[in-house]
Amino acid sequence: MIRTILWADDAVVLIDQKALPGKVHYLTLTDWRDVVGAIRDLTVRGAPAIGVAAAMGIALGALQLPEASVPETRRTFARLCEAFAKARPTARNLFWAIERMQRRFDETLPGGIAEVKKALVGEAVAIGEEDVEINRRIGLNGKAFIRDGDNVLTHCNAGALATAGYGTALGVIRAAREEGKRLHVFVDETRPVLQGARLTCWELVHDRIPATLITDSMAGFLMAQGKVDLVIVGADRIAANGDTANKIGTYSLAVLAKEHGVPFYVAAPLSTIDRSMADGSGIPIEERNGGEVRELHGVRTAPVKVGVYNPAFDVTPERYITAIITEAGVAKRPCGPSLRRLLRGPA
Ligand code: MRU
């Protein structure tokens, strides 16, 4: 299994996603500031992977906490968490992981700094291990939506690389394959950063799952020809009513899917759900550097002086989503009440 991020000998070891698919290269980071940088520059990306990286980065920072008074230690730790919170704005899992690390800090601080350090390393490792388990459960809950012989369309990368391992949307595809179903995946290249072309295709080739790469603008034509049986994507943040922020281009795909009667599934862990947001209108959408659109891998494809708009995510209203697949079960439309039930857990 591809592992994206690990804790080893008091260091964060992560696959350099910027180097893929050309080079499989793991970086060993021992300074928490480098982990913030890796999240910011997409060396590690994908909502759950960002959460795991932040937890491990905070653990690295905690290892450097000096012996100090309780108020001073609290201030230093708050600054550390704040640096991670500023790394990227959209992925809910980042804030979920920071909050979990903060709770562990509060629980263990009365026991002293040594106890805090041990507990935070343990918590970060647990977040990474749980993520793989959660993805496997998402796969089991979603695999029935893929029938033998189906053509599945996916966008961006919601695979092992976007998580600690196995993946969410690709986890569902992997689970269907493990059950022996024959399937084929159309992969949107996912402009401008090409997570589909570079990362999803790399994973599918690695796992010998039949795949065809398309440019984003080809999806509608394929659907019109009846070549797509279902769409499955991941999520960066899901509002309480089911509105879903995901990689830019997801909304267009969902509208096209509805027009052509193609089911549209979102696969995500419960940690992606933001209960504080009633709907998707308040989800902060990251805007990235215009250079990502003006250039392709360092080659200029537009005049330097042209203005660029580069939102990294869009929001798909719940009415376009057939179901949201989580580790706790499947939320069918209307997604709001079903998500609330899943979040409450078994009665
Ligand atoms: O900008 P990225 O590459 O971090 O965006 C990633 C996505 O949009 C994924 O689809 C999402 O995080 C789900 S990953 C399981």
PDB file of all heavy atoms in Angstrom, residues 42 45-48 50 88 91 155-159 162-163 167-169 195 233-236 246-248 267 286 288 312-313, ligand 1:
ATOM      1  N   LEU A  42       1.970  22.452  -1.348  1.00  0.00           N
ATOM      2  CA  LEU A  42       1.359  21.255  -1.937  1.00  0.00           C
ATOM      3  C   LEU A  42       2.312  20.053  -2.033  1.00  0.00           C
ATOM      4  O   LEU A  42       2.026  19.105  -2.758  1.00  0.00           O
ATOM      5  CB  LEU A  42       0.746  21.536  -3.327  1.00  0.00           C
ATOM      6  CG  LEU A  42      -0.198  22.721  -3.476  1.00  0.00           C
ATOM      7  CD1 LEU A  42      -0.791  22.757  -4.887  1.00  0.00           C
ATOM      8  CD2 LEU A  42      -1.332  22.670  -2.468  1.00  0.00           C
ATOM      9  N   ARG A  45      -0.769  17.267   0.160  1.00  0.00           N
ATOM     10  CA  ARG A  45      -2.043  17.932  -0.130  1.00  0.00           C
ATOM     11  C   ARG A  45      -3.153  16.883  -0.077  1.00  0.00           C
ATOM     12  O   ARG A  45      -2.892  15.691   0.023  1.00  0.00           O
ATOM     13  CB  ARG A  45      -2.033  18.715  -1.448  1.00  0.00           C
ATOM     14  CG  ARG A  45      -1.254  18.200  -2.600  1.00  0.00           C
ATOM     15  CD  ARG A  45      -1.705  16.895  -3.182  1.00  0.00           C
ATOM     16  NE  ARG A  45      -3.126  16.894  -3.490  1.00  0.00           N
ATOM     17  CZ  ARG A  45      -3.889  15.827  -3.591  1.00  0.00           C
ATOM     18  NH1 ARG A  45      -3.375  14.613  -3.374  1.00  0.00           N
ATOM     19  NH2 ARG A  45      -5.152  15.899  -3.876  1.00  0.00           N
ATOM     20  N   GLY A  46      -4.415  17.393  -0.183  1.00  0.00           N
ATOM     21  CA  GLY A  46      -5.553  16.505   0.023  1.00  0.00           C
ATOM     22  C   GLY A  46      -5.983  16.650   1.476  1.00  0.00           C
ATOM     23  O   GLY A  46      -5.132  16.576   2.388  1.00  0.00           O
ATOM     24  N   ALA A  47      -7.286  16.888   1.703  1.00  0.00           N
ATOM     25  CA  ALA A  47      -7.739  17.296   3.034  1.00  0.00           C
ATOM     26  C   ALA A  47      -7.285  16.366   4.177  1.00  0.00           C
ATOM     27  O   ALA A  47      -6.686  16.848   5.159  1.00  0.00           O
ATOM     28  CB  ALA A  47      -9.255  17.467   3.021  1.00  0.00           C
ATOM     29  N   PRO A  48      -7.534  15.043   4.094  1.00  0.00           N
ATOM     30  CA  PRO A  48      -7.120  14.211   5.237  1.00  0.00           C
ATOM     31  C   PRO A  48      -5.597  14.190   5.419  1.00  0.00           C
ATOM     32  O   PRO A  48      -5.114  14.218   6.561  1.00  0.00           O
ATOM     33  CB  PRO A  48      -7.652  12.817   4.865  1.00  0.00           C
ATOM     34  CG  PRO A  48      -8.785  13.095   3.909  1.00  0.00           C
ATOM     35  CD  PRO A  48      -8.339  14.282   3.109  1.00  0.00           C
ATOM     36  N   ILE A  50      -3.528  16.574   4.756  1.00  0.00           N
ATOM     37  CA  ILE A  50      -3.150  17.860   5.363  1.00  0.00           C
ATOM     38  C   ILE A  50      -3.387  17.785   6.882  1.00  0.00           C
ATOM     39  O   ILE A  50      -2.568  18.249   7.678  1.00  0.00           O
ATOM     40  CB  ILE A  50      -3.967  19.015   4.737  1.00  0.00           C
ATOM     41  CG1 ILE A  50      -3.556  19.231   3.276  1.00  0.00           C
ATOM     42  CG2 ILE A  50      -3.797  20.302   5.538  1.00  0.00           C
ATOM     43  CD1 ILE A  50      -4.469  20.200   2.501  1.00  0.00           C
ATOM     44  N   ARG A  88      -3.424  26.561   5.035  1.00  0.00           N
ATOM     45  CA  ARG A  88      -4.406  26.520   3.929  1.00  0.00           C
ATOM     46  C   ARG A  88      -5.795  26.695   4.554  1.00  0.00           C
ATOM     47  O   ARG A  88      -6.065  26.148   5.620  1.00  0.00           O
ATOM     48  CB  ARG A  88      -4.318  25.195   3.144  1.00  0.00           C
ATOM     49  CG  ARG A  88      -3.010  25.074   2.350  1.00  0.00           C
ATOM     50  CD  ARG A  88      -3.053  23.919   1.368  1.00  0.00           C
ATOM     51  NE  ARG A  88      -3.881  24.197   0.202  1.00  0.00           N
ATOM     52  CZ  ARG A  88      -4.214  23.283  -0.713  1.00  0.00           C
ATOM     53  NH1 ARG A  88      -3.800  22.028  -0.566  1.00  0.00           N
ATOM     54  NH2 ARG A  88      -4.956  23.601  -1.748  1.00  0.00           N
ATOM     55  N   ALA A  91      -9.594  23.113   3.678  1.00  0.00           N
ATOM     56  CA  ALA A  91      -9.748  21.736   4.182  1.00  0.00           C
ATOM     57  C   ALA A  91     -10.141  21.735   5.666  1.00  0.00           C
ATOM     58  O   ALA A  91      -9.377  22.164   6.531  1.00  0.00           O
ATOM     59  CB  ALA A  91      -8.449  20.964   3.997  1.00  0.00           C
ATOM     60  N   HIS A 155     -12.317  13.182 -10.148  1.00  0.00           N
ATOM     61  CA  HIS A 155     -11.706  14.501 -10.345  1.00  0.00           C
ATOM     62  C   HIS A 155     -10.667  14.713  -9.257  1.00  0.00           C
ATOM     63  O   HIS A 155     -10.846  14.261  -8.128  1.00  0.00           O
ATOM     64  CB  HIS A 155     -12.810  15.566 -10.235  1.00  0.00           C
ATOM     65  CG  HIS A 155     -12.390  16.940 -10.622  1.00  0.00           C
ATOM     66  ND1 HIS A 155     -12.069  17.288 -11.919  1.00  0.00           N
ATOM     67  CD2 HIS A 155     -12.253  18.069  -9.894  1.00  0.00           C
ATOM     68  CE1 HIS A 155     -11.764  18.582 -11.964  1.00  0.00           C
ATOM     69  NE2 HIS A 155     -11.865  19.070 -10.749  1.00  0.00           N
ATOM     70  N   CYS A 156      -9.591  15.397  -9.586  1.00  0.00           N
ATOM     71  CA  CYS A 156      -8.518  15.681  -8.624  1.00  0.00           C
ATOM     72  C   CYS A 156      -7.902  14.368  -8.122  1.00  0.00           C
ATOM     73  O   CYS A 156      -7.944  13.345  -8.813  1.00  0.00           O
ATOM     74  CB  CYS A 156      -9.038  16.536  -7.464  1.00  0.00           C
ATOM     75  SG  CYS A 156      -7.702  17.248  -6.452  1.00  0.00           S
ATOM     76  N   ASN A 157      -7.340  14.380  -6.923  1.00  0.00           N
ATOM     77  CA  ASN A 157      -6.833  13.149  -6.331  1.00  0.00           C
ATOM     78  C   ASN A 157      -7.412  13.002  -4.934  1.00  0.00           C
ATOM     79  O   ASN A 157      -7.143  13.820  -4.051  1.00  0.00           O
ATOM     80  CB  ASN A 157      -5.297  13.140  -6.248  1.00  0.00           C
ATOM     81  CG  ASN A 157      -4.797  11.940  -5.461  1.00  0.00           C
ATOM     82  OD1 ASN A 157      -4.572  12.014  -4.248  1.00  0.00           O
ATOM     83  ND2 ASN A 157      -4.670  10.802  -6.109  1.00  0.00           N
ATOM     84  N   ALA A 158      -8.260  11.993  -4.777  1.00  0.00           N
ATOM     85  CA  ALA A 158      -8.812  11.653  -3.464  1.00  0.00           C
ATOM     86  C   ALA A 158      -8.369  10.227  -3.167  1.00  0.00           C
ATOM     87  O   ALA A 158      -9.157   9.362  -2.797  1.00  0.00           O
ATOM     88  CB  ALA A 158     -10.326  11.796  -3.463  1.00  0.00           C
ATOM     89  N   GLY A 159      -7.085   9.989  -3.375  1.00  0.00           N
ATOM     90  CA  GLY A 159      -6.527   8.648  -3.234  1.00  0.00           C
ATOM     91  C   GLY A 159      -5.654   8.510  -2.011  1.00  0.00           C
ATOM     92  O   GLY A 159      -5.723   9.310  -1.066  1.00  0.00           O
ATOM     93  N   ALA A 162      -3.828  11.591  -0.975  1.00  0.00           N
ATOM     94  CA  ALA A 162      -4.588  12.680  -0.353  1.00  0.00           C
ATOM     95  C   ALA A 162      -4.951  12.353   1.092  1.00  0.00           C
ATOM     96  O   ALA A 162      -5.655  13.128   1.750  1.00  0.00           O
ATOM     97  CB  ALA A 162      -5.853  12.946  -1.162  1.00  0.00           C
ATOM     98  N   THR A 163      -4.488  11.196   1.563  1.00  0.00           N
ATOM     99  CA  THR A 163      -4.840  10.703   2.904  1.00  0.00           C
ATOM    100  C   THR A 163      -3.565  10.096   3.506  1.00  0.00           C
ATOM    101  O   THR A 163      -2.493  10.197   2.895  1.00  0.00           O
ATOM    102  CB  THR A 163      -5.924   9.610   2.803  1.00  0.00           C
ATOM    103  OG1 THR A 163      -5.398   8.507   2.042  1.00  0.00           O
ATOM    104  CG2 THR A 163      -7.178  10.115   2.087  1.00  0.00           C
ATOM    105  N   GLY A 167      -7.121   6.057   0.559  1.00  0.00           N
ATOM    106  CA  GLY A 167      -7.920   7.063  -0.145  1.00  0.00           C
ATOM    107  C   GLY A 167      -9.399   6.999   0.179  1.00  0.00           C
ATOM    108  O   GLY A 167      -9.899   6.029   0.741  1.00  0.00           O
ATOM    109  N   THR A 168     -10.106   8.065  -0.204  1.00  0.00           N
ATOM    110  CA  THR A 168     -11.552   8.148   0.031  1.00  0.00           C
ATOM    111  C   THR A 168     -12.291   7.736  -1.254  1.00  0.00           C
ATOM    112  O   THR A 168     -12.753   6.599  -1.356  1.00  0.00           O
ATOM    113  CB  THR A 168     -11.943   9.560   0.491  1.00  0.00           C
ATOM    114  OG1 THR A 168     -11.512  10.516  -0.480  1.00  0.00           O
ATOM    115  CG2 THR A 168     -11.332   9.884   1.833  1.00  0.00           C
ATOM    116  N   ALA A 169     -12.348   8.636  -2.243  1.00  0.00           N
ATOM    117  CA  ALA A 169     -13.004   8.262  -3.514  1.00  0.00           C
ATOM    118  C   ALA A 169     -12.251   7.090  -4.159  1.00  0.00           C
ATOM    119  O   ALA A 169     -12.864   6.103  -4.596  1.00  0.00           O
ATOM    120  CB  ALA A 169     -13.051   9.461  -4.455  1.00  0.00           C
ATOM    121  N   GLN A 195      -3.661  17.463 -10.379  1.00  0.00           N
ATOM    122  CA  GLN A 195      -3.646  16.363  -9.396  1.00  0.00           C
ATOM    123  C   GLN A 195      -4.189  15.067 -10.012  1.00  0.00           C
ATOM    124  O   GLN A 195      -3.794  13.973  -9.618  1.00  0.00           O
ATOM    125  CB  GLN A 195      -4.486  16.727  -8.161  1.00  0.00           C
ATOM    126  CG  GLN A 195      -3.889  17.791  -7.271  1.00  0.00           C
ATOM    127  CD  GLN A 195      -4.374  19.175  -7.624  1.00  0.00           C
ATOM    128  OE1 GLN A 195      -4.761  19.441  -8.773  1.00  0.00           O
ATOM    129  NE2 GLN A 195      -4.355  20.085  -6.677  1.00  0.00           N
ATOM    130  N   VAL A 233     -16.076  11.613  -6.104  1.00  0.00           N
ATOM    131  CA  VAL A 233     -15.027  12.587  -5.773  1.00  0.00           C
ATOM    132  C   VAL A 233     -14.835  12.621  -4.255  1.00  0.00           C
ATOM    133  O   VAL A 233     -15.658  12.089  -3.504  1.00  0.00           O
ATOM    134  CB  VAL A 233     -15.407  14.014  -6.260  1.00  0.00           C
ATOM    135  CG1 VAL A 233     -15.536  14.079  -7.776  1.00  0.00           C
ATOM    136  CG2 VAL A 233     -16.694  14.507  -5.580  1.00  0.00           C
ATOM    137  N   GLY A 234     -13.781  13.300  -3.809  1.00  0.00           N
ATOM    138  CA  GLY A 234     -13.555  13.522  -2.386  1.00  0.00           C
ATOM    139  C   GLY A 234     -14.142  14.864  -1.969  1.00  0.00           C
ATOM    140  O   GLY A 234     -14.935  15.463  -2.706  1.00  0.00           O
ATOM    141  N   ALA A 235     -13.748  15.342  -0.798  1.00  0.00           N
ATOM    142  CA  ALA A 235     -14.268  16.627  -0.312  1.00  0.00           C
ATOM    143  C   ALA A 235     -13.230  17.300   0.580  1.00  0.00           C
ATOM    144  O   ALA A 235     -12.459  16.630   1.267  1.00  0.00           O
ATOM    145  CB  ALA A 235     -15.547  16.414   0.485  1.00  0.00           C
ATOM    146  N   ASP A 236     -13.242  18.623   0.547  1.00  0.00           N
ATOM    147  CA  ASP A 236     -12.378  19.398   1.447  1.00  0.00           C
ATOM    148  C   ASP A 236     -13.130  19.893   2.674  1.00  0.00           C
ATOM    149  O   ASP A 236     -12.569  20.025   3.761  1.00  0.00           O
ATOM    150  CB  ASP A 236     -11.739  20.564   0.703  1.00  0.00           C
ATOM    151  CG  ASP A 236     -10.572  20.050  -0.098  1.00  0.00           C
ATOM    152  OD1 ASP A 236     -10.795  19.554  -1.214  1.00  0.00           O
ATOM    153  OD2 ASP A 236      -9.445  20.075   0.426  1.00  0.00           O
ATOM    154  N   ASN A 246     -14.957  21.110  -2.897  1.00  0.00           N
ATOM    155  CA  ASN A 246     -13.911  20.200  -3.392  1.00  0.00           C
ATOM    156  C   ASN A 246     -13.165  20.915  -4.509  1.00  0.00           C
ATOM    157  O   ASN A 246     -13.499  22.061  -4.873  1.00  0.00           O
ATOM    158  CB  ASN A 246     -14.532  18.883  -3.871  1.00  0.00           C
ATOM    159  CG  ASN A 246     -13.482  17.817  -4.155  1.00  0.00           C
ATOM    160  OD1 ASN A 246     -12.589  17.590  -3.338  1.00  0.00           O
ATOM    161  ND2 ASN A 246     -13.540  17.191  -5.315  1.00  0.00           N
ATOM    162  N   LYS A 247     -12.183  20.267  -5.066  1.00  0.00           N
ATOM    163  CA  LYS A 247     -11.322  20.864  -6.094  1.00  0.00           C
ATOM    164  C   LYS A 247     -12.126  21.570  -7.187  1.00  0.00           C
ATOM    165  O   LYS A 247     -13.144  21.064  -7.633  1.00  0.00           O
ATOM    166  CB  LYS A 247     -10.455  19.749  -6.690  1.00  0.00           C
ATOM    167  CG  LYS A 247      -9.484  20.165  -7.769  1.00  0.00           C
ATOM    168  CD  LYS A 247      -8.596  21.300  -7.358  1.00  0.00           C
ATOM    169  CE  LYS A 247      -7.780  21.024  -6.123  1.00  0.00           C
ATOM    170  NZ  LYS A 247      -7.192  22.250  -5.523  1.00  0.00           N
ATOM    171  N   ILE A 248     -11.637  22.722  -7.583  1.00  0.00           N
ATOM    172  CA  ILE A 248     -12.283  23.515  -8.622  1.00  0.00           C
ATOM    173  C   ILE A 248     -12.597  22.627  -9.845  1.00  0.00           C
ATOM    174  O   ILE A 248     -11.745  21.851 -10.286  1.00  0.00           O
ATOM    175  CB  ILE A 248     -11.384  24.736  -9.016  1.00  0.00           C
ATOM    176  CG1 ILE A 248     -12.130  25.710  -9.905  1.00  0.00           C
ATOM    177  CG2 ILE A 248     -10.068  24.311  -9.654  1.00  0.00           C
ATOM    178  CD1 ILE A 248     -13.111  26.563  -9.155  1.00  0.00           C
ATOM    179  N   ALA A 267     -17.141  10.994  -1.332  1.00  0.00           N
ATOM    180  CA  ALA A 267     -16.626  10.078  -0.305  1.00  0.00           C
ATOM    181  C   ALA A 267     -15.704  10.870   0.616  1.00  0.00           C
ATOM    182  O   ALA A 267     -14.747  11.500   0.140  1.00  0.00           O
ATOM    183  CB  ALA A 267     -15.858   8.932  -0.955  1.00  0.00           C
ATOM    184  N   GLU A 286      -9.895  28.962  -0.948  1.00  0.00           N
ATOM    185  CA  GLU A 286      -8.516  29.418  -1.169  1.00  0.00           C
ATOM    186  C   GLU A 286      -8.331  29.940  -2.590  1.00  0.00           C
ATOM    187  O   GLU A 286      -8.784  29.319  -3.543  1.00  0.00           O
ATOM    188  CB  GLU A 286      -7.581  28.217  -0.957  1.00  0.00           C
ATOM    189  CG  GLU A 286      -6.123  28.486  -1.240  1.00  0.00           C
ATOM    190  CD  GLU A 286      -5.264  27.240  -1.031  1.00  0.00           C
ATOM    191  OE1 GLU A 286      -5.808  26.120  -0.887  1.00  0.00           O
ATOM    192  OE2 GLU A 286      -4.025  27.397  -1.025  1.00  0.00           O
ATOM    193  N   ARG A 288      -5.330  30.834  -5.176  1.00  0.00           N
ATOM    194  CA  ARG A 288      -3.897  30.598  -5.298  1.00  0.00           C
ATOM    195  C   ARG A 288      -3.282  31.510  -6.356  1.00  0.00           C
ATOM    196  O   ARG A 288      -3.982  32.185  -7.110  1.00  0.00           O
ATOM    197  CB  ARG A 288      -3.630  29.111  -5.606  1.00  0.00           C
ATOM    198  CG  ARG A 288      -4.032  28.215  -4.430  1.00  0.00           C
ATOM    199  CD  ARG A 288      -3.660  26.786  -4.643  1.00  0.00           C
ATOM    200  NE  ARG A 288      -2.233  26.575  -4.720  1.00  0.00           N
ATOM    201  CZ  ARG A 288      -1.440  26.390  -3.664  1.00  0.00           C
ATOM    202  NH1 ARG A 288      -1.940  26.380  -2.446  1.00  0.00           N
ATOM    203  NH2 ARG A 288      -0.155  26.193  -3.838  1.00  0.00           N
ATOM    204  N   ALA A 312      -9.036  27.676  -5.791  1.00  0.00           N
ATOM    205  CA  ALA A 312      -8.601  26.269  -5.785  1.00  0.00           C
ATOM    206  C   ALA A 312      -9.772  25.304  -5.589  1.00  0.00           C
ATOM    207  O   ALA A 312      -9.635  24.112  -5.855  1.00  0.00           O
ATOM    208  CB  ALA A 312      -7.561  26.063  -4.695  1.00  0.00           C
ATOM    209  N   PHE A 313     -10.909  25.807  -5.116  1.00  0.00           N
ATOM    210  CA  PHE A 313     -12.047  24.929  -4.814  1.00  0.00           C
ATOM    211  C   PHE A 313     -13.344  25.575  -5.278  1.00  0.00           C
ATOM    212  O   PHE A 313     -13.391  26.790  -5.511  1.00  0.00           O
ATOM    213  CB  PHE A 313     -12.121  24.666  -3.296  1.00  0.00           C
ATOM    214  CG  PHE A 313     -10.851  24.073  -2.753  1.00  0.00           C
ATOM    215  CD1 PHE A 313      -9.881  24.871  -2.160  1.00  0.00           C
ATOM    216  CD2 PHE A 313     -10.598  22.712  -2.878  1.00  0.00           C
ATOM    217  CE1 PHE A 313      -8.685  24.334  -1.693  1.00  0.00           C
ATOM    218  CE2 PHE A 313      -9.403  22.163  -2.414  1.00  0.00           C
ATOM    219  CZ  PHE A 313      -8.454  22.975  -1.819  1.00  0.00           C
TER     220      PHE A 313
HETATM  221  O1  MRU B   1      -5.512  21.459  -3.519  1.00  0.00           O
HETATM  222  P1  MRU B   1      -5.552  20.017  -3.100  1.00  0.00           P
HETATM  223  O2  MRU B   1      -4.762  19.127  -3.993  1.00  0.00           O
HETATM  224  O3  MRU B   1      -5.209  19.857  -1.631  1.00  0.00           O
HETATM  225  O4  MRU B   1      -7.078  19.601  -3.258  1.00  0.00           O
HETATM  226  C1  MRU B   1      -7.461  18.297  -2.934  1.00  0.00           C
HETATM  227  C2  MRU B   1      -8.879  17.992  -3.229  1.00  0.00           C
HETATM  228  O5  MRU B   1      -9.644  18.830  -3.670  1.00  0.00           O
HETATM  229  C3  MRU B   1      -9.368  16.607  -2.880  1.00  0.00           C
HETATM  230  O6  MRU B   1     -10.362  16.192  -3.753  1.00  0.00           O
HETATM  231  C4  MRU B   1      -9.922  16.625  -1.446  1.00  0.00           C
HETATM  232  O7  MRU B   1      -8.996  17.174  -0.557  1.00  0.00           O
HETATM  233  C5  MRU B   1     -10.317  15.282  -0.990  1.00  0.00           C
HETATM  234  S1  MRU B   1      -8.933  14.263  -0.685  1.00  0.00           S
HETATM  235  C6  MRU B   1      -9.414  12.778  -0.007  1.00  0.00           C
END
